[in-house]
Amino acid sequence: GQNIDQPTEMTATEGAIVQINCTYQTSGFNGLFWYQQHAGEAPTFLSYNVLDGLEEKGRFSSFLSRSKGYSYLLLKELQMKDSASYLCAVNSGYSTLTFGKGTMLLVSP
Amino acid sequence: EPEVTQTPSHQVTQMGQEVILRCVPISNHLYFYWYRQILGQKVEFLVSFYNNEISEKSEIFDDQFSVERPDGSNFTLKIRSTKLEDSAMYFCASSSRDSNQETQYFGPGTRLLVL
């Protein structure tokens, strides 16, 4: 089976740094995606990792350790508009994505 | 920037009725997907489609569901006889290659309410 775990909620302050963790156990692995989803809207792509290490893209970075079945999304210089749900999704070797339940991030002033 | 579009944005229907949800994937993409998200729950895969046939489907995608690419631009999801539990947000996505090599881009969704 496929299992993807991430915290349900996190809070942080504007300007701060926050790390959202994701652990996964899947039957196969062909990459891990992070998406951002505002309430009532579509998921929007943030990052993709298939090899171990850190991928940096502006204020957002994502890290992957395949041996540990672990990833994190790092958000720097938080802004109010970063308040959203962050979805960890794994491609387990077929043409599908398996999503975690998402981490709701609330950024306060 | 090219994007996936979906119509309608909202659909209300009576239980037992048929609904068709429409999607226009990004124009040079070859792989198409439908996902659903029940309110407050996670995004769930329904079906993937390539070269005019289903590549993969989940156990949610039973005989009540079907997909079609009726022309060169549209990709549709049909639910033959809707049930109350079909109420959800339905997202279409597309990618230029199989998703294990390429990012899937999501449309804005159709919110389906079955009464």
Side-chain angles (χ1 to χ4, degrees), chain A residues 35 37 42 91 94-97, chain B residues 33 37 45 48 56 99 104 107:
Chain A
Y35 283 84
Q37 187 179 29
N91 179 283
Y94 302 97
S95 59
T96 71
L97 292 177
Chain B
Y33 313 85
Q37 187 175 32
F45 168 76
S48 60
E56 193 176 357
S99 70
Q104 294 183 29

Side-chain angles (χ1 to χ4, degrees), chain B residues 22-87:
Chain B
R22 292 184 166 78
C23 169
V24 178
I26 294 172
S27 63
N28 64 343
H29 284 185
L30 301 175
Y31 296 83
F32 315 120
Y33 313 85
W34 283 102
Y35 291 82
R36 80 170 186 192
Q37 187 175 32
I38 295 170
L39 188 63
Q41 297 188 23
K42 65 180 179 180
V43 176
E44 299 174 290
F45 168 76
L46 294 178
V47 66
S48 60
F49 191 87
Y50 170 70
N51 200 27
N52 283 318
E53 60 183 29
I54 291 174
S55 308
E56 193 176 357
K57 60 183 180 180
S58 71
E59 52 193 34
I60 301 169
F61 193 88
D62 61 23
D63 293 343
Q64 293 299 312
F65 291 88
S66 62
V67 289
E68 193 178 30
R69 187 147 164 86
D71 54 45
S73 59
N74 289 284
F75 178 52
T76 63
L77 174 70
K78 182 192 290 187
I79 309 174
R80 264 180 270 283
S81 177
T82 49
K83 303 187 285 284
L84 296 177
E85 54 265 38
D86 293 328
S87 295

Side-chain angles (χ1 to χ4, degrees), chain A residues 2 30-31 33 35 37 40-45 48 50 87 91 93-102, chain B residues 33 35 37 41-45 48 55-56 89 91 98-109 111:
Chain A
Q2 324 283 36
N30 264 313
F33 295 80
Y35 283 84
Q37 187 179 29
E41 297 183 11
T44 54
F45 170 73
Y48 170 64
V50 66
L87 314 180
N91 179 283
Y94 302 97
S95 59
T96 71
L97 292 177
T98 300
F99 282 84
K101 292 183 178 179
Chain B
Y33 313 85
Y35 291 82
Q37 187 175 32
Q41 297 188 23
K42 65 180 179 180
V43 176
E44 299 174 290
F45 168 76
S48 60
S55 308
E56 193 176 357
M89 183 76 105
F91 293 110
D98 198 310
S99 70
N100 68 358
Q101 297 180 53
E102 190 60 58
T103 300
Q104 294 183 29
Y105 292 92
F106 284 73
R111 186 172 295 283

Side-chain angles (χ1 to χ4, degrees), chain A residues 25-47:
Chain A
Q25 299 95 37
T26 57
S27 54
F29 182 83
N30 264 313
L32 187 145
F33 295 80
W34 283 96
Y35 283 84
Q36 181 192 61
Q37 187 179 29
H38 286 99
E41 297 183 11
T44 54
F45 170 73
L46 291 177
S47 70

Side-chain angles (χ1 to χ4, degrees), chain B residues 12-25:
Chain B
V12 181
T13 190
Q14 295 290 324
M15 190 171 56
Q17 294 297 304
E18 174 184 286
V19 294
I20 297 176
L21 310 182
R22 292 184 166 78
C23 169
V24 178

